Amino acid sequence: MAGRRARTGRGWDASPARAGDDNAPRPRRARSGRTDGTEPETPPAPPRDEAELAREICLRQLAVRPRTRAELAGALAKRGVSDEVSAEVLDRYDEVGIIDDAAFARAWVASRHSGRGLARRALANELRQRGVDGEVASEALGELDEETEAETARSLVERKLRTARGEPDAVFRRLVAMLARKGYPPGVAIRAVKDALAAQSAEAAEFAEQIDADALADAEGELDRDTRALG
């Protein structure tokens, strides 16, 4: 019929379509707004506000654990935040209570003493390393009294004695050294071990009785020199 393309054995006749033919193929439109086929360029992102970056760094640090002001200031300095912006952000966090060195120190002392059995000397060193002011640290450490410290030392020794092996003299020295590493004063450490040994067995009790006052004083002096060198 006129106006129709003849069908061949391989398909429809591919002769050019007539003008006005509704079946004529239409040209495809370009996917982008550019007629040359290239993608439009993405405009560069505006520079980030330094205070916004500082707040983001602080919040990321605080999400891991509580931090002191000094720790946060150190983290900001490492990321290149200026001292002026750092002080501005940290002052604001101080005002709203997001950072509180006094609360941090109290929580640190309670947690590290109950969890690790650390004494005041070791705790003071840890607080100093985290930038806590000396007066703030002293106030927090004051909540840990001497009686509690002595009880903790005795508990640590008794726990270690359950698996301790060797002659009483060697065990005695190892346990005293263990308490010294945790920051216990020489007198507290030696007496805790002496009392625990006396309650363990007849042999250990006999050894503990042989530790006279002069030997105890000499051992305290030697241990005190060692712990000062470590500190």
Side-chain angles (χ1 to χ4, degrees), residues 71-95:
E71 287 180 311
L72 292 176
L76 293 177
K78 287 180 180 179
R79 293 292 300 273
V81 177
S82 66
D83 293 343
E84 182 180 356
V85 172
S86 176
E88 178 185 338
V89 170
L90 295 178
D91 284 345
R92 178 55 181 164
Y93 280 4
D94 270 331
E95 291 175 6

Side-chain angles (χ1 to χ4, degrees), residues 2 14 20 26 34 50 57 60 97 134 142 150 160 186 208 225:
R26 293 176 173 80
R34 302 279 298 262
E50 190 177 15
I57 294 170
R60 195 180 302 133
K160 288 289 186 180
R225 288 191 297 273

Side-chain angles (χ1 to χ4, degrees), residues 94-114:
D94 270 331
E95 291 175 6
V96 299
I98 293 179
I99 53 177
D100 184 340
D101 281 6
F104 174 92
R106 290 192 300 270
W108 187 271
V109 168
S111 173
R112 298 286 284 175
H113 179 74
S114 62

Side-chain angles (χ1 to χ4, degrees), residues 15-31:
S15 58
R18 297 179 181 179
D21 191 344
D22 292 338
N23 294 324
R26 293 176 173 80
R28 295 182 179 180
R29 294 181 179 179
R31 293 184 179 180

